[in-house]
Amino acid sequence: MALNLVRTRDLSLSKLEFPLIAKRVRMVSVFLLILLLSISTSHKRLFIEATEHTEKLAFHGFDKSILASKYLQIYNNSKYGTLQLDNGLGKTPPMGWNSWNHFGCSVDERVIKETADALVATGLAELGYVYVNIDDCWANKRRILVFVAPLLAPDPNTFPSGIKALADYVHGKGLKLGIYGDAGQLTCQQRPGSLGFELLDAMVLASWEVDYLKYDNCYDMGISPQKRYPAMRDALNSTARSIFYSICEWGVDDPALWAPRVGNSWRTTIDISDSWESMTRIADINDKWAEYAGPGGWNDPDMLEVGNGGMTYQEYRSHFSIWALMKAPLLIGCDVRNMSPQTLEILSNKEVIDVNQDSLGLQGRKINVSGKDGCLQVWAGLLSSSAPEIRLAIVLWNRCSTASMISVSWLELGVIFDVIVSVRDLWEHKFLDSISRDSFGAEVDSHDCKMYIMTHIPLFHSES
Ligand code: GLA
């Protein structure tokens, strides 16, 4: 009876409500279809957005199809590329030496020649330190009239053989010669500036076969850098010689916003000095402009102080590691004729240099801070790699006054633990045996750092 009742009721229900149910089923199916479509298009859109952004990351053959959108947020370089000066120079940050940090105005041709000799003898030249750059004070205090043309000339007391002879000497060693000028009336040490003399001076530098020009910002006559610096770019371009153009504008007018179309590098900060406070402050300022740097145009946080005596071994190691990660020009600023074994060890760490010279050219940046005043820091950047692998350079930097554990979750680095292939310690020169599932970390001494390359295979793949 009961069964009958149910059956009857079922039958009568289906008879009465079938159209209604069918309508509901249709509505649900349509809804499901829309849902499915929107999931797939949003997935597609996410992928398209990801690949659009990765066009920037894709320079130098980086495989854009394997980048997860997480990377694009963390290692964004979307400001790179639209403005870069394309003079074929500076595909990787320049490496070499500069006289200013150690010698100041006490520079002469003997120092330059002996430095070139030392770069070769120590093996630094072979590691890539090829520019030998004379900073301020090389020039005679007045221009010399040659057939009515007021030409720059070297100081006859300190550079009696002339700059062309010095260039020949440096070139003979397989190195390159850099020189210093100023986009104002005078250089900072009151030698003749090039403002108004750009064409003439560029021709003179080219005739001396100079390879690099650092162009300073003193005595600017109240004219904006955005007017003064392009004039020398155009003058250099008009010579037949390729001259690396290093803009030294001290970050006054936010050069990252305009200098990429003018020079191959641009100083982002005031002068560095040989102290922990100065070095850390400068690293932080330079970090703000990470999205703007890349092959052909680099943020320049000023030259290295490693080996000048004002910082500890650990502090210099941090200085070098962070500069390498930030894709800063690696211009040695100490007396390479008299380096301690520790200084040479830091400057010649090939694994760290390779991070700096990586062909992707993506500036590593601060991605995580913890501890008092954020003194426990994690810096990281993407490196070039062959698909499907991805490589990250990671620096754990302890800016606190005591040794501490620094850790960061894998996710914050954009990494999924299950796909990690290896982690290599660039200062210990060995692979780590074991790593934790949830986070990455290590005990780091005060003011010291650890630097790693982590290789992994992301899960995000393109079907094409
Ligand atoms: C400025 C620059 C320094 C150095 C000196 C030389 O201060 O920023 O790097 O070149 O001038 O006078």
Side-chain angles (χ1 to χ4, degrees):
M1 186 69 178
L3 214 98
N4 263 346
L5 250 180
V6 171
R7 199 184 284 146
T8 315
R9 187 170 156 67
D10 275 357
L11 281 173
S12 63
L13 257 183
S14 64
K15 233 181 180 176
L16 284 174
E17 297 180 10
F18 180 74
L20 190 62
I21 290 172
K23 198 174 167 197
R24 278 190 187 150
V25 166
R26 264 204 312 277
M27 277 171 65
V28 169
S29 330
V30 169
F31 173 74
L32 278 175
L33 196 68
I34 290 170
L35 192 69
L36 266 172
L37 273 173
S38 77
I39 287 173
S40 89
T41 43
S42 79
H43 177 78
K44 211 168 177 183
R45 193 167 56 239
L46 184 71
F47 180 71
I48 290 167
E49 275 167 12
T51 49
E52 273 167 6
H53 284 286
T54 51
E55 291 297 342
K56 296 270 171 49
L57 287 165
F59 48 75
H60 282 235
F62 196 86
D63 188 338
K64 61 187 176 188
S65 67
I66 54 172
L67 282 171
S69 57
K70 180 82 182 159
Y71 281 114
L72 305 172
Q73 295 154 20
I74 306 175
Y75 308 109
N76 177 12
N77 69 342
S78 57
K79 304 286 192 328
Y80 165 77
T82 47
L83 301 176
Q84 252 68 6
L85 174 74
D86 191 13
N87 64 356
L89 295 170
K91 292 296 181 204
T92 60
M95 290 176 66
W97 173 89
N98 173 291
S99 56
W100 185 254
N101 283 356
H102 187 84
F103 293 93
C105 258
S106 309
V107 62
D108 57 29
E109 63 185 37
R110 187 178 55 85
V111 167
I112 301 300
K113 283 180 169 178
E114 289 179 3
T115 296
D117 297 346
L119 286 172
V120 174
T122 52
L124 288 170
E126 209 178 326
L127 285 164
Y129 296 96
V130 291
Y131 285 106
V132 183
N133 293 353
I134 320 169
D135 209 278
D136 206 351
C137 302
W138 64 270
N140 195 34
K141 292 220 158 113
R142 284 159 175 240
R143 290 172 177 272
I144 309 272
L145 277 184
V146 179
F147 299 118
V148 305
L151 302 187
L152 282 177
D155 184 324
N157 298 317
T158 46
F159 290 86
S161 316
I163 304 301
K164 172 71 171 75
L166 204 51
D168 289 346
Y169 185 87
V170 168
H171 291 154
K173 305 236 145 212
L175 304 174
K176 294 173 187 291
L177 187 73
I179 211 159
Y180 164 99
D182 191 283
Q185 193 184 26
L186 296 171
T187 74
C188 299
Q189 302 302 315
Q190 304 185 343
R191 304 311 198 262
S194 293
L195 188 63
F197 294 90
E198 290 87 356
L199 261 180
L200 201 58
D201 292 355
M203 276 164 57
V204 168
L205 300 187
S207 77
W208 289 341
E209 299 187 2
V210 161
D211 304 294
Y212 181 115
L213 174 65
K214 169 176 173 179
Y215 206 46
D216 213 341
N217 197 26
C218 279
Y219 298 96
D220 63 10
M221 309 292 287
I223 306 171
S224 118
Q226 299 187 47
K227 291 220 170 85
R228 286 176 291 117
Y229 281 89
M232 183 52 94
R233 170 201 60 196
D234 296 341
L236 292 173
N237 278 348
S238 73
T239 72
R241 197 165 176 82
S242 289
I243 298 176
F244 186 102
Y245 187 27
S246 154
I247 293 176
C248 179
E249 186 264 4
W250 318 319
V252 180
D253 254 31
D254 294 342
L257 303 180
W258 54 268
R261 76 176 77 154
V262 183
N264 296 113
S265 65
W266 50 90
R267 277 270 298 274
T268 53
T269 72
I270 50 159
D271 289 9
I272 193 169
S273 62
D274 189 14
S275 71
W276 170 254
E277 287 67 32
S278 164
M279 186 270 286
T280 49
R281 190 172 56 240
I282 279 181
D284 290 344
I285 298 171
N286 194 61
D287 184 43
K288 287 189 202 152
W289 303 105
E291 291 170 22
Y292 294 83
W298 309 99
N299 288 313
D300 176 3
D302 209 357
M303 301 160 301
L304 296 167
E305 290 285 5
V306 178
N308 278 334
M311 290 183 247
T312 64
Y313 171 76
Q314 289 77 7
E315 291 169 346
Y316 280 142
R317 178 153 76 169
S318 298
H319 175 20
F320 191 66
S321 302
I322 290 292
W323 259 236
L325 183 85
M326 291 198 297
K327 304 293 189 285
L330 293 183
L331 295 171
I332 299 171
C334 69
D335 183 358
V336 289
R337 303 167 307 169
N338 300 299
M339 279 179 295
S340 70
Q342 283 192 333
T343 296
L344 182 60
E345 183 225 313
I346 292 173
L347 295 173
S348 57
N349 184 328
K350 182 161 181 341
E351 297 196 65
V352 175
I353 292 171
D354 284 349
V355 169
N356 179 258
Q357 295 293 299
D358 180 67
S359 62
L360 184 62
L362 183 131
Q363 181 171 328
R365 70 253 356 233
K366 194 188 288 186
I367 62 159
N368 187 283
V369 297
S370 56
K372 187 171 177 288
D373 301 327
C375 62
L376 301 175
Q377 304 192 346
V378 180
W379 293 57
L382 273 175
L383 298 173
S384 63
S385 61
S386 317
E389 288 186 344
I390 279 193
R391 297 187 311 139
L392 275 187
I394 304 166
V395 175
L396 306 180
W397 193 9
N398 182 358
R399 288 163 57 161
C400 306
S401 49
T402 51
S404 305
M405 181 76 187
I406 302 182
S407 39
V408 58
S409 75
W410 287 116
L411 212 60
E412 280 164 320
L413 287 164
V415 179
I416 295 161
F417 174 80
D418 289 337
V419 295
I420 293 172
V421 176
S422 65
V423 182
R424 182 163 176 85
D425 185 324
L426 307 189
W427 286 104
E428 294 292 324
H429 304 293
K430 62 179 193 208
F431 289 99
L432 299 192
D433 295 333
S434 62
I435 36 178
S436 126
R437 270 204 84 81
D438 313 312
S439 62
F440 182 61
E443 178 81 8
V444 187
D445 283 343
S446 165
H447 292 192
D448 203 353
C449 76
K450 299 254 179 198
M451 187 165 186
Y452 306 92
I453 288 182
M454 196 259 311
T455 306
H456 69 293
I457 302 178
L459 295 179
F460 190 85
H461 288 271
S462 132
E463 273 86 59
S464 58

